[in-house]
Amino acid sequence: MTLHETEFGAVEALEWGTGDRLIVLLHALAAGPWGFGPLAERLLRPGRRIVAPALHGYGGTRVTGATDPVDAHLAVARWALGSGGDGRSVLFGHSMGGITALLAAGGRDDLAALVLFEPIVHAALHDDDPEDRELGAAERAMIRGIGAGVERGAPEAELGAFIEAWNEAPWADLAPRLRERLLADAGRLAKETDAVAGRAIPAGFWATVTTPARVLHGDRSPPLAARLAERVAGRLPDARLQTLPGLGHMAPALAPDAIAAVIEDALASPPQPVASAS
């Protein structure tokens, strides 16, 4: 990884290739950019440069004076998009990286494609829909549980339940070193999950994301993931909702062929807009 000193702090990033076509990959909560290697290899072509930055608090990335994790991640995303290219950049975001990519895309006219895999955007849910309310409330309760576990000094049960719900693997099956790292980061992860779930999106923001978008979810992912993808796609002015069969929430790392194929297709044939559900 390369460490870059910026005006707002340090950013560590994985980088592949050289060229004018920039592809930025934004990772999920608790994941980091390291799992993007296989996806980047499949996307690499002559003339393409791929950048996968570690978001704030991951690797060596630290945004000076950051108080809100989402704002800090957004600063990193904007830096990555400004790191080169010919004005036809591609922006991909997974989960927490999805809300970060969505926010980074607002007001830009220099993106060729926006691809979001299961973006965690609670603000896209409909307050008047009972299922939306139920799914959102259950997730927020799980997040509060992580914070409560941190406060009492024993977060493993709550953090393990969260990881199992989203990461397609039982907590007990994770490598001991990975469990230790996640538990050591439990306090930061509690704040980060709370900030992501609580992020407000102004009503007027959605119309500013004019880049042709693909919003993806796997059919093996948690129900909330599918509902969030549906709601995000419905609020964007030019988006296509796409279900990927046989895949779960960690598809960008576990099924890079499927994700790369969607990104390539989005570049080759921009999607048609869907009717807004807002």
Side-chain angles (χ1 to χ4, degrees):
M1 293 182 74
T2 303
L3 189 65
H4 302 267
E5 294 297 335
T6 78
E7 62 182 9
F8 58 80
V11 176
E12 195 168 19
L14 291 170
E15 301 174 46
W16 298 263
T18 59
D20 292 331
R21 172 58 65 91
L22 175 67
I23 301 176
V24 174
L25 309 175
L26 302 181
H27 65 79
L29 184 144
W34 303 278
F36 280 141
L39 176 59
E41 291 172 2
R42 285 155 176 79
L43 292 171
L44 198 57
R45 302 279 191 282
R48 289 182 180 177
R49 176 170 168 261
I50 302 172
V51 178
L55 297 177
H56 171 66
Y58 295 82
T61 300
R62 298 293 184 274
V63 176
T64 304
T67 56
D68 180 85
V70 178
D71 285 341
H73 299 333
L74 182 55
V76 174
R78 287 171 172 161
W79 168 85
L81 286 170
S83 65
D86 61 358
R88 298 178 298 132
S89 301
V90 178
L91 180 57
F92 172 83
H94 171 209
S95 194
M96 178 184 73
I99 187 173
T100 305
L102 174 70
L103 294 170
R108 301 187 75 106
D109 60 4
D110 60 344
L111 299 180
L114 173 66
V115 182
L116 308 175
F117 186 84
E118 301 188 358
I120 305 301
V121 189
H122 281 244
L125 295 172
H126 292 181
D127 292 337
D128 59 355
D129 185 283
E131 187 173 358
D132 281 21
R133 292 199 304 270
E134 181 179 353
L135 289 170
E139 177 75 359
R140 289 189 292 273
M142 186 161 52
I143 289 169
R144 287 195 299 272
I146 300 173
V150 170
E151 288 181 3
R152 68 170 184 271
E156 184 166 6
E158 292 82 3
L159 182 60
F162 180 85
I163 295 297
E164 287 191 9
W166 286 101
N167 289 273
E168 304 183 59
W171 174 257
D173 289 352
L174 299 182
R177 182 175 297 181
L178 176 56
R179 292 200 305 270
E180 291 170 5
R181 178 178 67 78
L182 291 169
L183 286 170
D185 283 347
R188 181 177 63 80
L189 294 175
K191 294 178 181 177
E192 194 169 50
T193 52
D194 185 62
V196 169
R199 181 69 178 211
I201 306 287
F205 170 81
W206 299 96
T208 73
V209 184
T210 56
T211 301
R214 297 285 179 100
V215 187
L216 318 173
H217 71 90
D219 65 0
R220 292 180 51 247
S221 294
L224 177 61
R227 182 55 60 96
L228 288 171
E230 176 186 342
R231 294 309 194 198
V232 169
R235 290 183 183 271
L236 292 173
D238 186 0
R240 174 179 169 182
L241 178 68
Q242 191 168 346
T243 303
L244 300 183
L247 300 184
H249 187 62
M250 295 308 294
L254 300 178
D257 287 331
I259 304 301
V262 174
I263 294 174
E264 295 289 1
D265 189 57
L267 285 170
S269 55
Q272 297 299 312
V274 297
S276 174
S278 58

